[in-house]
Amino acid sequence: MRGLFSTTDCTDLNTILLEASSCSEIAIDTETNGLKWLKHKAFAISVAFGHSSYYIPNSQYNVESISVFLSKLFSLNAKFIFLNSKFDAHMIRETYGIEVPWEKVYDIYTIASLYNSQSKHDLKSLAEEYIDKNSHQYENEVQRYISKNGVNDYSRVPYHIMSIYGKKDAEYTLGLFPILYPRLDPATLSWYTYERELLGIVYRLEKRGFPVDREYLSSYRSFLQQELEAVTKTIREMVGYAINPASNEQVSELLFKNFKLPVLKKTTNQNPSVDEESISSLHHPIIPFLLRHSKVEKILGTYVIPILELSERDGKLHSTYNPLGARTGRFSSEDPNFQNMPKELGVREAFIGDLTDADHSQLELRVFAHVAQEQSMIHAFKNGKDLHQSTASEMLNIPYDQVTSYQRFIGKGINFGIVFGEGHYTLSKQLKCDYSQAISYLTTYHERYPSIKKVIKKLGKEGERDGFIKTLFGRKIYVRGIPDYKYLNYKVQGSARDILVIGLLAISALQDSALVNTVHDSGVLNGFKLDLLSSLNQKMIDVSLSVPLVIDFKRGQNWGEWNPETNPKGLKKFIEGNI
């Protein structure tokens, strides 16, 4: 790797702009005082193009001048290369008031993820692998200064250190693009066009936010705090001394030393486990109160208080989504994690609007049937049958219309157990049956659906040979050295994720302003025009599979209202019934 590109401190912005105007690829990186765009800002930008790089701090050029510069820069006919375009776009908007032109954006993180989903995708690791073995030295220099001088963010690092660091970031970003982008094979390159468009959609989704009923949530917080106090008081009265039910150490001492209850499981440190699964199996009058305290505290601390704090700015929740968050490519989200937000705890009811939920019905199972080419499953889906009920009918040798809800529960558990690669032990726990019964269920399942074992073996061989599994749309998931059934899981989940992406693109094409959330296989829309539902349905099911896709549309005034297990009216009654 050659040294720093040619640079000149405090170069006039118009001079930089003139130089950039002759370049077809321009890399941009923001230097920020934190990683949360709702409360942090950029204190500088770095740009690289051709053989030049520049560090442009607010303190020397001022925000207004940089804003004008960016506006003119983005008007150029060039590709704009970012490491993490969504993050930088938020920072550029929040600090300089400029929107990034998404149709010109190329994202190194996404390209690198598609090229090899197993490697590290932070800038320094990518640069170390492909460009400069010493790429970490510039960040190390910044970290040494921060540690030595006790500063708490990069904005307080001196110019002579940050300018080198910032310019190197832009240079590495620029240098990675011509290395990684041409390595995408035709199928992956074709899929990348969807990922490029998706990033802009998710950026606007984050910016738009999901409206929050803060009055409801404040009432909920008060109720939970009172409940926590009452449960704590009851526990202390039962114990006879002041105990903190939130302290694992104190609860452990109470249960296993004072009450002499059996230790059912230990932590990695060989201490008695007091997690929910462990203590719920213990028999003592205090156990229900400890479990209730834990549950109420979790709702309060994990969801209610953070959502109230995060929605203070504008009454909306602006979560951060990673469209390639999991190994399979499944979305992840944080602040809060919408993917894990429970349906039954009264939290979803806080998200409000004129809402429509567009949910792919049994998407993974439909993909599963297609991948396995299991004809009895395909037949069930084509004839509008419920697959879990059909599976229970096949396995238990019961007429389809005589399958009970519990028998359907067995069919559901086994279907998902196969998709997710669960073994006999896990299945026996989920179905609440003994180990031998779980073995019998799985044996019968493979007898009834013989093609499934064949496809598991086939995908396992292909995965070990190639080092990756391809989704139905050509996206590669790099993985090797895992059990055969995991390759099936990656193919099914990865393909289901890609179908969701196609659905999100369809939503955006019809009414981009409507999307406020995406969870698992669904998009949550606010203010979506009802006369567009038919068109949306057609676009979301326009995927060539051996089975039909079905979209379940639900309507409501809050995100929990269409869940049949919940009743958002009558707060106290609702909460008491669900906690």
Side-chain angles (χ1 to χ4, degrees), residues 371-396:
V371 170
Q373 281 297 293
E374 177 51 60
Q375 293 306 308
S376 55
M377 289 184 173
I378 292 172
H379 181 267
F381 277 127
K382 282 186 173 180
N383 286 275
K385 289 186 175 181
D386 177 272
L387 183 63
H388 303 318
Q389 187 173 341
S390 179
T391 298
S393 173
E394 287 277 347
M395 291 185 56
L396 303 175

Side-chain angles (χ1 to χ4, degrees), residues 9 18 45 84 120-121 165 170 187 193 195 243 275 279 373 415 460 471 492:
D9 290 343
L18 181 62
I45 62 167
N84 184 351
K120 293 181 180 179
H121 302 129
Y165 171 83
T193 61
E195 298 289 349
I243 181 176
D275 62 20
I279 70 171
Q373 281 297 293
N415 280 329
T471 70
V492 169

Side-chain angles (χ1 to χ4, degrees), residues 55-73:
Y55 177 71
I56 305 172
N58 301 350
S59 59
Q60 295 191 28
Y61 289 88
N62 76 61
V63 169
E64 292 76 16
S65 297
I66 298 175
S67 177
V68 172
F69 167 75
L70 284 170
S71 181
K72 293 179 179 178
L73 188 71

Side-chain angles (χ1 to χ4, degrees), residues 287-312:
I287 297 299
F289 295 96
L290 290 173
L291 291 172
R292 186 167 180 80
H293 184 281
S294 176
K295 190 171 187 178
V296 172
E297 186 182 52
K298 179 180 179 181
I299 301 169
L300 190 62
T302 304
Y303 301 108
V304 175
I305 292 176
I307 292 171
L308 279 169
E309 292 175 349
L310 290 165
S311 62
E312 280 181 345

Side-chain angles (χ1 to χ4, degrees), residues 201-472:
I201 292 170
V202 175
Y203 161 78
R204 294 188 292 276
L205 162 63
E206 293 178 352
K207 174 187 171 185
R208 186 176 304 122
F210 200 158
V212 173
D213 185 343
R214 290 176 54 80
E215 182 178 350
Y216 165 87
L217 216 52
S218 295
S219 298
Y220 197 178
R221 177 180 59 186
S222 298
F223 174 87
L224 291 171
Q225 288 171 337
Q226 293 170 12
E227 184 69 12
L228 209 57
E229 291 173 4
V231 174
T232 300
K233 181 181 178 182
T234 300
I235 291 172
R236 288 175 177 173
E237 288 174 350
M238 293 177 71
V239 172
Y241 61 87
I243 181 176
N244 178 8
S247 168
N248 288 345
E249 184 178 352
Q250 292 184 34
V251 170
S252 177
E253 183 174 351
L254 172 70
L255 297 179
F256 305 116
K257 290 185 179 180
N258 295 8
F259 293 162
K260 309 296 184 184
L261 296 177
V263 176
L264 302 180
K265 188 172 74 171
K266 290 188 176 183
T267 67
T268 54
N269 296 326
Q270 295 304 302
N271 294 318
S273 175
V274 291
D275 62 20
E276 181 179 346
E277 181 183 6
S278 299
I279 70 171
S280 62
S281 300
L282 297 173
H283 299 287
H284 191 280
I286 204 169
I287 297 299
F289 295 96
L290 290 173
L291 291 172
R292 186 167 180 80
H293 184 281
S294 176
K295 190 171 187 178
V296 172
E297 186 182 52
K298 179 180 179 181
I299 301 169
L300 190 62
T302 304
Y303 301 108
V304 175
I305 292 176
I307 292 171
L308 279 169
E309 292 175 349
L310 290 165
S311 62
E312 280 181 345
R313 185 168 99 156
D314 60 0
K316 297 178 180 179
L317 204 292
H318 302 267
S319 185
T320 296
Y321 298 82
N322 183 350
L324 289 166
R327 173 69 64 84
T328 59
R330 284 296 219 178
F331 274 66
S332 64
S333 59
E334 57 183 328
D335 296 334
N337 181 356
F338 273 124
Q339 314 305 311
N340 288 340
M341 191 167 289
K343 295 179 180 180
E344 71 279 3
L345 301 182
V347 179
R348 292 192 178 197
E349 283 69 18
F351 296 92
I352 57 173
D354 177 21
L355 302 181
T356 302
D357 185 56
D359 184 24
H360 286 87
S361 172
Q362 297 186 326
L363 179 58
E364 288 177 340
L365 295 173
R366 292 172 191 272
V367 173
F368 176 46
H370 171 83
V371 170
Q373 281 297 293
E374 177 51 60
Q375 293 306 308
S376 55
M377 289 184 173
I378 292 172
H379 181 267
F381 277 127
K382 282 186 173 180
N383 286 275
K385 289 186 175 181
D386 177 272
L387 183 63
H388 303 318
Q389 187 173 341
S390 179
T391 298
S393 173
E394 287 277 347
M395 291 185 56
L396 303 175
N397 198 27
I398 299 171
Y400 177 84
D401 56 2
Q402 294 181 24
V403 172
T404 66
S405 59
Y406 176 71
Q407 290 164 341
R408 182 187 180 276
F409 169 75
I410 293 174
K412 180 179 180 179
I414 296 170
N415 280 329
F416 280 116
I418 295 293
V419 172
F420 292 111
E422 295 170 351
H424 304 115
Y425 175 72
T426 303
L427 185 64
S428 67
K429 287 181 64 179
Q430 289 194 347
L431 297 182
K432 297 180 174 59
C433 65
D434 59 42
Y435 186 77
S436 60
Q437 182 65 70
I439 294 175
S440 176
Y441 281 146
L442 288 178
T443 300
T444 304
Y445 186 91
H446 287 297
E447 289 173 353
R448 296 288 191 273
Y449 302 117
S451 63
I452 291 173
K453 269 195 173 180
K454 293 178 183 177
V455 78
I456 288 174
K457 188 175 182 179
K458 174 177 176 289
L459 291 175
K461 285 184 177 179
E462 291 176 357
E464 282 302 300
R465 181 194 67 211
D466 301 332
F468 60 80
I469 281 292
K470 276 190 177 183
T471 70
L472 297 175

Side-chain angles (χ1 to χ4, degrees), residues 475-526:
R475 182 171 61 85
K476 294 178 181 177
I477 303 172
Y478 287 83
V479 64
R480 181 177 269 157
I482 58 173
D484 286 353
Y485 61 77
K486 279 288 186 183
Y487 291 104
L488 172 65
N489 172 247
Y490 285 136
K491 189 174 186 75
V492 169
Q493 281 204 313
S495 299
R497 178 266 181 190
D498 292 351
I499 291 173
L500 170 66
V501 169
I502 292 170
L504 297 180
L505 266 58
I507 291 168
S508 176
L510 288 170
Q511 190 179 335
D512 184 69
S513 62
L515 188 65
V516 291
N517 192 16
T518 176
V519 177
H520 304 310
D521 301 323
S522 74
V524 182
L525 318 178
N526 187 14

